[in-house]
Amino acid sequence: MRRARGRDFIAAMRRILSLALIALCPPAWADPAPPGAAPEIDSLEWGIFCALRAMDRAPAPGTIAGWLHVPREEITFHWPDETVVPASLGLAFGVRAASVPGYVSDSAEARVFRPGRETPETWPTAISDTDRISVFFRFDEVQELIPGIWAFEVWDRGERLYRVEFEVVPAEARREIADACGATS
């Protein structure tokens, strides 16, 4: 009888200590910050889309894969203005932007910050006042399904033009999106 009470007491203390640790040490990620843009940006859109169609590839040595997807047509955000992304193969999320009239650059740089990485993945991009330029990430492989805050930025001439953060969550947390594309994870 005494041992049973002792085990119950120890189990209760473990629960209390676990709750105390959770309260004192919140998760490493937080909610995504609101999107921000420099005055040079006229139009800024973000969201999630089904990306199961074939895309072309372009070399991108500043990325983990060494290449990036190039859509054959303009992407459509199936969930516009959404920043909470289920970690599910076949889904993509990102940003589309256009600059103010007269601001055009072919020397901009896209930066994607993944959770747990010190340095961003980078590749050359453009910014235009006539075309909306997309920067996105598509989940192709299981090891890419990393929960936490992902950040997308575009820089030009030493100035950050925009930053949009997304929170990637387990697919079960956003099943209505994860299942809508027929994607599996």
Side-chain angles (χ1 to χ4, degrees):
M1 187 73 141
R2 209 175 240 192
R3 282 191 181 167
R5 282 190 208 152
R7 279 185 274 176
D8 291 342
F9 176 77
I10 291 171
M13 291 306 295
R14 284 185 180 150
R15 274 184 250 142
I16 290 170
L17 286 173
S18 295
L19 291 172
L21 283 173
I22 290 169
L24 292 173
C25 304
W29 63 86
D31 291 332
E40 293 84 359
I41 299 299
D42 186 49
S43 167
L44 185 66
E45 303 169 75
W46 58 90
I48 305 169
F49 63 100
C50 298
L52 298 175
R53 292 185 186 170
M55 295 186 186
D56 294 328
R57 289 185 178 189
T63 66
I64 292 172
W67 57 272
L68 53 91
H69 291 288
V70 179
R72 295 177 181 161
E73 54 198 43
E74 184 172 293
I75 62 170
T76 299
F77 292 124
H78 298 108
W79 296 274
D81 304 322
E82 183 61 60
T83 58
V84 180
V85 182
S88 186
L89 297 176
L91 281 179
F93 55 106
V95 182
R96 185 171 36 232
S99 61
V100 295
Y103 190 96
V104 177
S105 176
D106 288 328
S107 61
E109 179 182 73
R111 299 178 185 178
V112 173
F113 296 82
R114 292 189 192 196
R117 285 187 47 96
E118 294 286 323
T119 57
E121 294 181 68
T122 62
W123 62 91
T125 192
I127 192 74
S128 172
D129 59 354
T130 58
D131 292 321
R132 297 180 301 171
I133 308 297
S134 298
V135 174
F136 66 92
F137 189 90
R138 180 171 102 172
F139 290 129
D140 291 319
E141 300 178 14
V142 172
Q143 65 266 23
E144 295 172 337
L145 304 174
I146 304 168
I149 298 295
W150 292 60
F152 291 69
E153 297 179 348
V154 166
W155 288 72
D156 187 41
R157 302 175 198 141
E159 181 182 356
R160 185 172 74 191
L161 298 179
Y162 67 76
R163 179 181 172 93
V164 178
E165 293 184 0
F166 295 86
E167 180 183 10
V168 173
V169 297
E172 300 77 36
R174 299 299 312 268
R175 189 51 65 192
E176 74 282 4
I177 295 175
D179 290 347
C181 299
T184 58
S185 63

